[in-house]
């Protein structure tokens, strides 16, 4: 039987709870998304990164302890993004809906903000949004619950036609008003996959992620079968 480690508290140290007079949106890590929602007169009170559980079994996925540590280092300079280690600490894989529900329930139970004024949203790229429409990838009923009860903030990737993805899917189209599309004013092709590929080839990732994260990768010899070369931070 699996065990849920519920004693891990949701971080709250960077929440901005002053003068909430509109819906408070909690997105999951992107300053661009926060700026876009703020421009639409929403009040973004915080953001969370929730590293996936080791049981996700994605190729190249390093141990959760390393991923949580790197996320912590990457978020040190942020004034609103926090790292929640709960998902990564569980004995089994946790679905996205479970994580979203945890965030909302934790904040409401601790009376950080009222249920009526809080809206927790999933931040995703348009590639993940498209995966909602692929048979067998997601549980369709959970997709419906996420779109209806929470909502999405979708960063357009590589010029993808997000509007068409939404239009051609019955669930996404039904709840299209609960999907906020964000365009990158300055396109940024940096991705975690690209960073890992560079490191595995011994190429520099200087300026592509925080220096503290690069140092951690070197110290723990991550993402390569051989000792990490010093020039990845040149």
């Amino acid at each position: 039987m699996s065990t849920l480690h519920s004693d891990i508290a949701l971080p709250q140290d960077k929440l901005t709870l002053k003068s909430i007079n509109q819906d408070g949106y909690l997105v999951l890590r992107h300053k661009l998304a926060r700026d876009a929602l703020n421009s639409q007169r929403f009040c973004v009170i915080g953001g969370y990164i929730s590293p996936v559980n080791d049981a996700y079994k994605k190729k190249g996925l390093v141990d959760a302890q390393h991923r949580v540590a790197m996320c912590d280092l990457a978020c040190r300079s942020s004034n609103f993004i926090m790292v929640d280690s709960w998902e990564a600490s569980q004995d089994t894989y946790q679905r996205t809906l479970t994580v979203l529900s945890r965030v909302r329930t934790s904040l409401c139970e601790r009376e950080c903000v009222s249920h009526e004024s809080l809206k927790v949203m999933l931040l995703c790229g348009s590639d993940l949004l498209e995966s909602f429409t692929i048979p067998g990838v997601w549980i369709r009923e959970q997709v419906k619950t996420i779109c209806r009860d929470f909502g999405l903030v979708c960063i357009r990737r590589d010029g993808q036609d997000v509007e068409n993805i939404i239009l051609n899917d019955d669930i996404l189209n039904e709840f299209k008003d609960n999907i906020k599309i964000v365009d990158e004013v300055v396109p940024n092709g940096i991705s975690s996959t690209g960073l890992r590929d560079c490191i595995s080839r011994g190429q520099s990732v200087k300026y592509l992620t925080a220096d503290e994260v690069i140092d951690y990768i070197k110290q723990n010899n991550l993402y390569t079968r051989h000792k990490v070369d010093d020039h990845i931070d040149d």
Side-chain angles (χ1 to χ4, degrees), residues 15 42-43 57 60 74-75 82 103 106 112 114 121 127 131 138 155 173 180 187 190-191 194-196 207 217 225:
L15 290 180
F42 296 122
C43 178
K57 300 295 185 183
C75 292
M82 295 157 282
V103 172
S106 295
C112 294
S114 69
M121 302 185 80
D127 49 346
S131 75
W138 291 77
I155 309 293
N173 193 50
K180 309 298 180 183
I190 298 173
S191 69
L195 289 177
R196 290 192 297 268
Y207 307 119
I217 291 170
R225 295 179 182 178

Side-chain angles (χ1 to χ4, degrees), residues 9 11 24 36 39 42 56 67 78 117 132 168 171 177 179 201:
S39 71
F42 296 122
Y56 185 54
R67 291 182 283 108
S78 173
S117 63
F132 283 168
N168 290 322
I171 293 177
D177 291 341
I179 302 174
R201 298 176 185 180

Side-chain angles (χ1 to χ4, degrees), residues 43-200:
C43 178
V44 179
I45 65 173
Y48 289 101
I49 293 178
S50 181
V52 73
N53 189 278
D54 284 338
Y56 185 54
K57 300 295 185 183
K58 182 179 179 179
K59 183 180 179 181
L61 192 71
V62 301
D63 288 347
Q65 61 174 345
H66 290 311
R67 291 182 283 108
V68 170
M70 287 187 286
C71 287
D72 278 330
L73 291 170
C75 292
R76 278 185 180 176
S77 62
S78 173
N79 63 0
F80 82 106
I81 302 175
M82 295 157 282
V83 180
D84 182 18
S85 63
W86 179 86
E87 178 182 359
S89 301
Q90 302 309 303
D91 292 336
T92 58
Y93 171 67
Q94 301 299 308
R95 294 193 174 276
T96 300
L97 179 57
T98 301
V99 178
L100 291 169
S101 298
R102 161 185 157 77
V103 172
R104 183 172 64 184
T105 300
S106 295
L107 293 176
C108 290
E109 283 183 348
R110 294 174 190 174
E111 299 181 348
C112 294
V113 60
S114 69
H115 182 83
E116 293 76 18
S117 63
L118 175 67
K119 187 173 183 66
V120 177
M121 302 185 80
L122 171 66
L123 174 68
C124 65
S126 52
D127 49 346
L128 187 142
L129 180 75
E130 188 171 29
S131 75
F132 283 168
T133 71
I134 300 174
V137 176
W138 291 77
I139 298 173
R140 292 292 286 174
E141 193 58 36
Q142 291 198 5
V143 171
K144 184 174 183 177
T145 302
I146 290 171
C147 293
R148 181 191 64 212
D149 297 349
F150 293 91
L152 306 170
V153 180
C154 178
I155 309 293
R156 193 189 305 273
R157 293 266 178 86
D158 300 323
Q160 275 190 300
D161 190 346
V162 179
E163 292 80 2
N164 195 52
I165 293 173
I166 295 172
L167 180 64
N168 290 322
D169 183 83
D170 56 342
I171 293 177
L172 298 181
N173 193 50
E174 180 180 358
F175 300 104
K176 61 185 178 184
D177 291 341
N178 218 14
I179 302 174
K180 309 298 180 183
I181 302 172
V182 178
D183 289 305
E184 292 182 307
V185 178
V186 179
N188 183 347
I190 298 173
S191 69
S192 57
T193 300
L195 289 177
R196 290 192 297 268
D197 287 345
C198 285
I199 294 168
S200 68

